[in-house]
Amino acid sequence: MTHLYLIRHGIAADRELYEIDEERPLTKEGARKTRKVAQKLVELNLKFEIVLSSPLVRARQTADILKSVGLSDRVEEFPPLAPEGEINFWLDWYRNWSQTGKESLALVGHQPDLGNWAEMLIWGDVRGALVVKKAGIIGISLPETGSPIGNSQLLWLSPPKFLLS
Amino acid sequence: MTHLYLIRHGIAADRELYEIDEERPLTKEGARKTRKVAQKLVELNLKFEIVLSSPLVRARQTADILKSVGLSDRVEEFPPLAPEGEINFWLDWYRNWSQTGKESLALVGHQPDLGNWAEMLIWGDVRGALVVKKAGIIGISLPETGSPIGNSQLLWLSPPKFLLS
């Protein structure tokens, strides 16, 4: 059974301060809170064999924080995790990766995309009713065989506020 | 904005030990774990203006534990929360209750019913893809106006294991 975790980037600098959205970094507070969430995930015994990250700075910084606390040894940028990326690219990637026998991975990205991808996996279509907060997490169990689309199960969804007290 | 929490009863005695399913109580371990989850919900600053409970013993005991730790002052049995109960009875109840201006309530019941009710609220139909574990919780935000069916948002879903470490 493979466990997939979708993690949204932490709080980033205001759009007004950066001409190029892709370059907005986490704020100091955003990085601090993301690190606290990451440490909590360590306490909960999570471990990711790989972290795929949107190439946008705020996501990549979030993925690097996950690595820095020991949640994973491996972070790779995955362009389809950028805003409006297509889940089909990830499904192709996953078809290969799942043959390696590994069982836990995380994707770091953006809303509404992460919520939409989760809905595709769980229900097979997008209704826009699943929202993951900044530095929040969705846990999904993927089926052992066949396409995960519409065949996965939601295990966990948590905003940071329910992780940090 | 009203927050609705669906809480599944804790681990109950084996079916073989009780002729009447309705009478199966929580095991000692089930009661202990449910109490720990309830205490965690207190730490997370949750408070329910009312707890509606399935009349089955294992659910009613779970609801009483929620009350005993201070999560609510009021527990009422609500027969449609028994297995295979219809959400429409609750919707009728909620239509009246929501006019009182109260904003937080919990329902204690069973699987697959709680997962199905959550799917009705969030997606408008049942796909059987939402599962709440024993002593686990689903948090849903209900819309300010109109029917909550298909118009609610999933805020939280957690098994006890992610609440207790």
Side-chain angles (χ1 to χ4, degrees), chain A residues 52 78 80 86-100 105 107 117 121 147-149:
Chain A
L52 297 182
F78 191 71
E86 286 285 339
I87 193 171
N88 287 331
F89 292 106
W90 179 76
L91 289 170
D92 287 341
W93 177 91
Y94 176 68
R95 208 167 294 124
N96 289 315
W97 185 82
S98 62
Q99 287 165 9
T100 63
L105 78 154
L107 309 183
W117 286 28
L121 292 168
S147 168
I149 297 292

Side-chain angles (χ1 to χ4, degrees), chain A:
Chain A
M1 181 101 72
T2 301
H3 289 149
L4 170 69
Y5 298 91
L6 308 181
I7 297 169
R8 188 175 172 196
H9 64 81
I11 299 165
D14 279 350
R15 284 179 194 277
E16 294 84 61
L17 298 176
Y18 285 78
E19 247 179 76
I20 303 176
D21 176 64
E22 284 78 357
E23 295 181 354
R24 289 194 291 131
L26 299 182
T27 62
K28 201 170 163 182
E29 170 64 12
R32 194 191 62 81
K33 198 167 169 185
T34 302
R35 192 166 298 108
K36 281 187 70 179
V37 167
Q39 281 157 348
K40 180 70 186 180
L41 300 185
V42 172
E43 282 174 41
L44 294 174
N45 291 315
L46 295 195
K47 181 93 189 171
F48 312 125
E49 279 152 326
I50 186 168
V51 176
L52 297 182
S53 174
S54 151
L56 274 61
V57 169
R58 58 192 182 277
R60 178 62 205 236
Q61 288 180 331
T62 299
D64 288 340
I65 288 170
L66 300 180
K67 186 178 179 196
S68 73
V69 300
L71 284 166
S72 184
D73 300 324
R74 196 170 155 204
V75 174
E76 285 182 21
E77 288 186 12
F78 191 71
L81 281 165
E84 302 185 33
E86 286 285 339
I87 193 171
N88 287 331
F89 292 106
W90 179 76
L91 289 170
D92 287 341
W93 177 91
Y94 176 68
R95 208 167 294 124
N96 289 315
W97 185 82
S98 62
Q99 287 165 9
T100 63
K102 297 194 174 76
E103 296 189 325
S104 176
L105 78 154
L107 309 183
V108 178
H110 308 267
Q111 270 295 110
D113 308 276
L114 290 180
N116 292 348
W117 286 28
E119 289 191 322
M120 286 293 292
L121 292 168
I122 300 161
W123 279 272
D125 52 26
V126 170
R127 306 267 181 107
L130 250 184
V131 176
V132 57
K133 301 272 189 190
K134 284 173 186 145
I137 187 165
I138 296 176
I140 292 172
S141 140
L142 303 175
E144 306 245 357
T145 55
S147 168
I149 297 292
N151 292 313
S152 303
Q153 204 185 344
L154 183 64
L155 297 177
W156 193 26
L157 181 147
S158 186
K161 73 169 171 175
F162 290 139
L163 292 171
L164 296 183
S165 40

Side-chain angles (χ1 to χ4, degrees), chain B:
Chain B
M1 179 101 71
T2 301
H3 288 150
L4 170 68
Y5 299 91
L6 308 182
I7 298 169
R8 186 174 172 196
H9 64 79
I11 299 165
D14 280 350
R15 285 180 194 276
E16 294 83 61
L17 299 174
Y18 284 79
E19 245 179 78
I20 302 175
D21 176 65
E22 285 75 358
E23 294 180 356
R24 288 194 291 132
L26 298 182
T27 62
K28 201 171 164 184
E29 170 63 14
R32 194 192 60 82
K33 198 166 170 185
T34 302
R35 191 167 297 108
K36 281 187 71 178
V37 166
Q39 281 158 347
K40 179 71 186 179
L41 301 184
V42 171
E43 282 174 42
L44 294 174
N45 291 315
L46 295 194
K47 182 92 191 173
F48 313 124
E49 277 150 330
I50 186 169
V51 175
L52 298 182
S53 175
S54 150
L56 274 60
V57 169
R58 58 192 182 277
R60 178 62 205 234
Q61 288 179 331
T62 299
D64 288 340
I65 288 171
L66 301 179
K67 186 178 179 199
S68 72
V69 300
L71 283 166
S72 184
D73 299 326
R74 197 171 155 205
V75 173
E76 286 182 19
E77 287 186 13
F78 191 72
L81 280 167
E84 301 183 33
E86 285 285 339
I87 193 171
N88 287 331
F89 292 106
W90 178 76
L91 289 170
D92 288 341
W93 176 91
Y94 176 69
R95 206 168 294 124
N96 289 315
W97 185 80
S98 62
Q99 286 165 11
T100 62
K102 298 193 174 78
E103 295 189 326
S104 177
L105 77 154
L107 310 183
V108 178
H110 309 266
Q111 269 295 112
D113 309 276
L114 290 180
N116 293 347
W117 286 28
E119 289 191 322
M120 285 294 292
L121 292 167
I122 300 162
W123 281 272
D125 53 26
V126 171
R127 306 267 183 108
L130 250 183
V131 176
V132 59
K133 301 272 188 187
K134 285 174 186 145
I137 187 165
I138 295 176
I140 292 171
S141 142
L142 303 174
E144 306 245 356
T145 54
S147 168
I149 296 293
N151 291 312
S152 302
Q153 204 185 344
L154 182 65
L155 297 177
W156 193 26
L157 180 146
S158 188
K161 73 168 171 176
F162 289 140
L163 292 170
L164 295 184
S165 41

